[in-house]
Amino acid sequence: MNKLLYLVPVLAYLGKTISISLEEINIPSEHLPYFFNTYPDLAKSCVDSHDCQYKSLINEKVCWGYETTCDKNNSYHVRPRCPGDHRGWVKTKEAQYDTFYTQADFGYVKEQIQELMVMCEATYPQDSSLECSKYLRFCRGRNLMLNFHGLVGRGDNLRYKMDILGPGQIGGYCQVYSERLMKEAEHMSALQSWAPEFVNFVKTSKRPIQDGMCDIVINKPTYIMKLDATVNMYHHFCDFFNLYASLHVNSTHPSTFSRDNHILIWETFTYDSAFKDAFKAFTVNPIWDLKKFRGKIVCFRNVVFPLLPRMIFGLYYNTPLIYGCERSGIFHAFSKHILHSLNVKLHIRENNKVRITLLSRGTTYRTILNENEIVERLMQVKGYHVQRVVYDRTVPFTKQLEITHNTDVFIGMHGAGLTHLLFLPDWAAVFEIYNCEDPNCYADLSRLRGLKYVTWQNKTKLVQQDQGHGPGGVSHAKFTNYSFDVEEFLRLVEICAAYVRNRQDFKNFIAASTMKNSHEEL
């Protein structure tokens, strides 16, 4: 494909004209119409190119939802539904919808964009600049200096620290609005904001890059991330989700959706995680940590400090969801983005059986004591295709996603593995067997993803092994095991299966699979 030229905005890229090909843009084909409408010059280049294969997608008048000219009727095609009572939170159904959209959809991105404030203003293109959203939840800068001399002698176990930088160890050559910056530094916490870092921001005496202040200059766009618990899928995917949302907040240029960038983890631990393949959705380059720059003054031409995993009223760890609404477009788009980037596909079906996956826990607590009996009974149901899986390090993460994405009913005990529900097909149902007295976590995540959710209600039909052995000897439902009434279990699974069978998109997929199989046989 010929490279398509696009004029880069002056604020972010010094007014240079760079070339970028659509092959470099990492978004699913179904998202390209939104992309083209965001960057009309790139769309025109596609129209003018002889070999651009996406011309048919250009005239669709759609928008993500955060653009200033976006009409709600043209916004991202998966939109919230609010069938339930709002329970007095707001006065009208429209206000209920708008509240959910701002709390948990592309409206949240729009809010961050609208809140952006200049903290460090450039006078000339070679100067530095910095702008941040309210409470310093998201920031982006140009020609910034970070001094990592203070890391010398501090070891390789720095994580969740608020003193990585000291006074004057971050800054740029620009007019600094110190009072405004300090006013937004209220959320002074390691994973809630960038306040611990930017309270140290100063105006440098010289232009950092042009005047040679730097030991190292990073030319590619860089995302600096503070990570939540990387051993836990629920918490680590708060990182990935907020990084994806930040791509949209930062979408001043199409290269935002390129993977030719750097990611720097804000700790000295060498990054590793069972879920590390998810980073391949965002970068083609190795993941850095602070050890790489210890004792150095590092300057970044373009740097983004993304939304954080534990923001107050953030996404998705602390999202205060209004009652009665479900199905977030940005959660749907995130799911599609990850599946596309990691090349996870839906498999053509050979029959119309409902595919049921039971996630078995290889852990001390929250195991199903009569799991074998339950699985045997499920396998006897004629209309089911049943598999039991254990998602551990012996199963590559992309393989786990493939299994999940080809599941219609996903079953599991309360635990981080249920975060896989983000990557189920749109018609799927989630059966959280028992929520272990944490009723909102995965119910809300299912609601955000727009999936049917079922959990155990009749406690007389389960047996708890003991009182539970929580930290400090405190009894808790999460720290024991359970056996379940088999007939009740089957009844709840069938509620999920019936929901799937009645979904038109499931029917369409089965019909398309049948047609494809017939053509292949011919």
Side-chain angles (χ1 to χ4, degrees):
M1 180 184 297
N2 291 336
K3 290 204 168 184
L4 307 177
L5 298 182
Y6 183 77
L7 185 63
V8 185
V10 172
L11 176 64
Y13 289 87
L14 310 181
K16 296 178 181 177
T17 300
I18 65 167
S19 62
I20 185 167
S21 73
L22 282 175
E23 291 173 347
E24 296 174 54
I25 303 304
N26 174 44
I27 57 176
S29 59
E30 65 191 89
H31 292 172
L32 280 172
Y34 305 93
F35 177 82
F36 281 132
N37 284 324
T38 303
Y39 308 108
D41 287 0
L42 192 56
K44 184 178 183 302
S45 297
C46 178
V47 171
D48 294 341
S49 172
H50 293 298
D51 52 1
C52 180
Q53 59 185 305
Y54 302 111
K55 294 182 182 182
S56 63
L57 303 176
I58 287 175
N59 293 322
E60 296 183 35
K61 298 304 178 186
V62 293
C63 46
W64 293 106
Y66 50 79
E67 303 90 337
T68 55
T69 59
C70 184
D71 185 280
K72 181 189 291 187
N73 294 325
N74 297 329
S75 63
Y76 189 74
H77 66 282
V78 173
R79 301 184 189 122
R81 296 177 297 215
C82 297
D85 182 14
H86 47 75
R87 302 191 188 183
W89 280 35
V90 289
K91 294 182 179 180
T92 66
K93 293 297 288 186
E94 183 179 4
Q96 181 189 19
Y97 180 101
D98 291 342
T99 300
F100 181 85
Y101 191 72
T102 301
Q103 289 174 336
D105 208 324
F106 281 113
Y108 190 92
V109 170
K110 184 174 185 177
E111 186 176 69
Q112 301 306 308
I113 293 172
Q114 291 175 336
E115 289 176 354
L116 284 172
M117 295 169 275
V118 175
M119 301 297 181
C120 164
E121 188 171 12
T123 303
Y124 299 101
Q126 298 83 9
D127 291 354
S128 306
S129 67
L130 175 69
E131 56 182 347
C132 299
S133 65
K134 195 165 182 60
Y135 302 122
L136 309 180
R137 290 175 291 204
F138 170 94
C139 297
R140 62 184 174 200
R142 179 167 57 83
N143 298 335
L144 296 189
M145 176 277 300
L146 279 72
N147 184 337
F148 295 113
H149 285 170
L151 294 180
V152 175
R154 292 191 63 183
D156 295 344
N157 60 349
L158 299 180
R159 176 178 286 169
Y160 311 137
K161 301 294 184 182
M162 297 199 295
D163 61 349
I164 297 295
L165 299 176
Q169 290 188 324
I170 181 171
Y173 189 81
C174 50
Q175 181 179 348
V176 181
Y177 299 107
S178 300
E179 185 176 337
R180 181 185 301 169
L181 186 59
M182 296 305 294
K183 183 181 178 182
E184 299 303 326
E186 292 181 21
H187 296 179
M188 187 62 68
S189 177
L191 297 182
Q192 288 180 357
S193 82
W194 292 98
E197 290 69 43
F198 282 113
V199 293
N200 298 304
F201 195 92
V202 297
K203 178 178 180 178
T204 56
S205 60
K206 299 181 290 186
R207 293 183 177 92
I209 296 175
Q210 191 175 32
D211 296 333
M213 293 180 61
C214 324
D215 298 314
I216 301 171
V217 175
I218 307 300
N219 292 308
K220 290 182 180 180
T222 302
Y223 295 85
I224 298 179
M225 296 183 66
K226 301 180 190 178
L227 301 183
D228 206 329
T230 60
V231 299
N232 179 294
M233 186 177 178
Y234 181 89
H235 289 286
H236 200 7
F237 266 79
C238 288
D239 302 316
F240 297 122
F241 183 86
N242 279 285
L243 179 56
Y244 177 71
S246 298
L247 299 185
H248 287 278
V249 178
N250 190 48
S251 57
T252 56
H253 182 265
S255 62
T256 291
F257 293 98
S258 165
R259 285 182 280 191
D260 191 14
N261 53 45
H262 292 299
I263 292 177
L264 170 61
I265 306 302
W266 199 249
E267 56 191 50
T268 55
F269 281 88
T270 300
Y271 172 76
D272 191 28
S273 171
F275 315 107
K276 61 186 176 184
D277 280 349
F279 267 121
K280 295 177 182 178
F282 301 98
T283 186
V284 295
N285 297 307
I287 303 300
W288 291 342
D289 61 65
L290 291 175
K291 292 194 299 298
K292 183 175 181 66
F293 301 122
R294 183 162 31 211
K296 305 291 185 181
I297 296 176
V298 185
C299 296
F300 298 88
R301 291 195 185 274
N302 290 281
V303 59
V304 174
F305 300 84
L307 297 165
L308 294 114
R310 297 208 182 195
M311 296 177 295
I312 297 174
F313 301 145
L315 298 172
Y316 51 82
Y317 180 75
N318 284 319
T319 303
L321 289 181
I322 192 169
Y323 289 106
C325 294
E326 61 191 18
R327 199 172 69 164
S328 161
I330 194 171
F331 275 80
H332 182 273
F334 169 71
S335 177
K336 299 301 180 184
H337 186 85
I338 294 291
L339 294 168
H340 159 80
S341 302
L342 301 184
N343 197 31
V344 177
K345 306 291 188 185
L346 272 175
H347 298 161
I348 297 299
R349 300 291 178 87
E350 296 180 356
N351 53 55
N352 64 353
K353 289 185 176 182
V354 175
R355 299 181 69 88
I356 294 172
T357 299
L358 189 149
L359 181 60
S360 184
R361 291 175 62 86
T363 55
T364 303
Y365 300 121
R366 279 174 272 158
T367 60
I368 305 170
L369 297 174
N370 60 332
E371 183 173 288
N372 288 337
E373 181 185 4
I374 286 170
V375 171
E376 288 174 5
R377 289 291 303 277
L378 282 172
M379 295 182 76
Q380 293 172 13
V381 179
K382 186 177 180 180
Y384 295 167
H385 173 88
V386 180
Q387 59 182 337
R388 173 168 41 183
V389 298
V390 177
Y391 286 164
D392 58 22
R393 285 183 177 267
T394 66
V395 184
F397 183 60
T398 51
K399 180 62 178 177
Q400 295 178 26
L401 291 182
E402 181 185 4
I403 295 169
T404 300
H405 191 50
N406 286 279
T407 293
D408 304 319
V409 178
F410 191 65
I411 305 173
M413 287 288 284
H414 179 87
L418 284 176
T419 308
H420 269 275
L421 68 85
L422 290 171
F423 306 105
L424 290 165
D426 295 348
W427 58 72
V430 178
F431 175 20
E432 181 179 19
I433 304 167
Y434 188 48
N435 60 38
C436 298
E437 300 177 10
D438 186 355
N440 297 322
C441 182
Y442 296 104
D444 281 349
L445 200 59
S446 299
R447 185 150 63 107
L448 288 165
R449 181 61 184 86
L451 304 173
K452 172 75 172 177
Y453 173 85
V454 170
T455 191
W456 204 273
Q457 299 293 340
N458 190 344
K459 289 188 178 181
T460 66
K461 294 189 176 184
L462 64 79
V463 177
Q464 185 171 321
Q465 188 177 36
D466 52 36
Q467 78 278 8
H469 307 282
V474 177
S475 60
H476 196 286
K478 291 184 181 180
F479 296 92
T480 186
N481 303 306
Y482 298 86
S483 59
F484 297 91
D485 181 271
V486 177
E487 297 303 324
E488 178 68 1
F489 198 104
L490 293 175
R491 185 185 73 84
L492 293 172
V493 172
E494 180 53 30
I495 290 174
C496 295
Y499 169 84
V500 170
R501 292 189 201 100
N502 287 326
R503 286 276 304 213
Q504 189 60 50
D505 46 1
F506 175 74
K507 295 176 183 177
N508 293 344
F509 180 65
I510 295 299
S513 295
T514 302
M515 185 177 297
K516 183 174 178 61
N517 288 333
S518 297
H519 287 165
E520 288 178 353
E521 288 174 5
L522 292 173

